Amino acid sequence: QVQLVQSGAEMKKPGASVKVSCKASGYAFTGYYLHWVRQAPGQGPEWMGWINPNSGGTMYAQRFQGRVTMTRDTSLRTAYMELSSLRSDDTAVYYCAKGVGPSTRFDYWGQGTLVTVSS
Amino acid sequence: EIVMTQSPATLSVSPGDRATLSCRASQSVSRNLAWYQQTPGQAPRLLIYDASTRATSIPASFSGSGSGTEFTLTIHSLQSEDFAVYFCQQYDKWPLTFGGGTKVEI
């Protein structure tokens, strides 16, 4: 069965960076785009961007341009999302989600990684 | 960016009732719309895509309709496990955007 397993919760200070991992199993890792979506407490989800695990190509939402980097390691079937220059309003649960393509719905989600930014 | 507006913010219903949730897009998204269900502490679960197609293993009690800018999710005969928050998401134009959610409560 399809599974996306993310790394554990992180606590960071303002200005720091965080890197979240997402290990995929149960499907052809390089056949489907992986998206990153975050959800602040009590808010709707917010799409951050995608990575094409086959080519390594990426697309980021404009508001995260310059602060986010998405990468993958095909040998480990793992995708990564790194967010830099953290602010308190980056406190959220970060999800990886499998998409059929670049512009799509998300049929499987990771369990989420809570990132807390606080001094 | 396309703004997705959901209404109502909270819907109070009883088990066995029918619930009707609305999602409005600030511009046409054709039928490129999905609905998700989220329970506390869990990731969203895909219910409906392409406005009206049920995802794998989703019961027929969930149905979606609409196109363009107006969409509806209907839950027929609410069960206890259906009390949750529901989000819509458009995937017609970048950036992909979600609504703020409707909480279905007893």
Side-chain angles (χ1 to χ4, degrees):
Chain A
Q1 73 281 21
V2 174
Q3 279 196 306
L4 298 171
V5 179
Q6 298 182 221
S7 48
E10 302 264 11
M11 183 164 290
K12 297 292 183 181
K13 294 192 182 302
S17 297
V18 69
K19 191 170 186 177
V20 180
S21 68
C22 170
K23 184 171 178 61
S25 62
Y27 72 97
F29 178 67
T30 55
Y32 298 88
Y33 285 59
L34 265 176
H35 297 248
W36 290 89
V37 176
R38 76 177 187 179
Q39 188 173 26
Q43 304 298 310
E46 179 179 28
W47 176 78
M48 299 180 69
W50 55 251
I51 183 166
N52 178 343
N54 186 44
S55 66
T58 55
M59 179 177 184
Y60 305 137
Q62 187 171 9
R63 65 169 295 177
F64 297 105
Q65 289 275 1
R67 282 210 304 143
V68 70
T69 304
M70 297 177 188
T71 57
R72 93 293 190 216
D73 184 329
T74 55
S75 66
L76 297 178
R77 301 173 57 87
T78 299
Y80 305 90
M81 187 283 301
E82 184 169 21
L83 188 63
S84 62
S85 303
L86 289 168
R87 307 183 291 256
S88 58
D89 61 358
D90 290 319
T91 294
V93 177
Y94 289 76
Y95 295 100
C96 60
K98 173 180 164 289
V100 176
S103 184
T104 187
R105 75 273 186 182
F106 309 119
D107 54 359
Y108 292 93
W109 296 63
Q111 84 276 18
T113 296
L114 175 62
V115 176
T116 303
V117 183
S118 174
S119 55
Chain B
E1 77 177 42
I2 297 177
V3 177
M4 306 302 291
T5 302
Q6 292 187 241
S7 60
T10 304
L11 187 60
S12 297
V13 293
S14 299
D17 285 353
R18 180 172 69 181
T20 302
L21 288 65
S22 296
C23 175
R24 174 176 292 177
S26 60
Q27 60 184 274
S28 176
V29 298
S30 186
R31 291 180 59 82
N32 296 312
L33 183 108
W35 289 94
Y36 300 87
Q37 176 193 67
Q38 188 176 35
T39 53
Q42 300 297 311
R45 177 175 72 140
L46 178 66
L47 298 175
I48 301 285
Y49 64 93
D50 294 346
S52 62
T53 302
R54 278 190 303 277
T56 303
S57 303
I58 301 303
S61 57
F62 290 90
S63 64
S65 64
S67 65
T69 61
E70 301 284 343
F71 299 88
T72 299
L73 174 70
T74 302
I75 312 171
H76 306 271
S77 190
L78 276 154
Q79 307 297 306
S80 58
E81 60 268 26
D82 300 331
F83 291 92
V85 180
Y86 293 82
F87 296 101
C88 59
Q89 176 230 337
Q90 67 81 18
Y91 45 94
D92 190 69
K93 294 180 178 61
W94 307 109
L96 310 183
T97 50
F98 291 82
T102 291
K103 182 179 182 181
V104 177
E105 64 175 25
I106 299 175

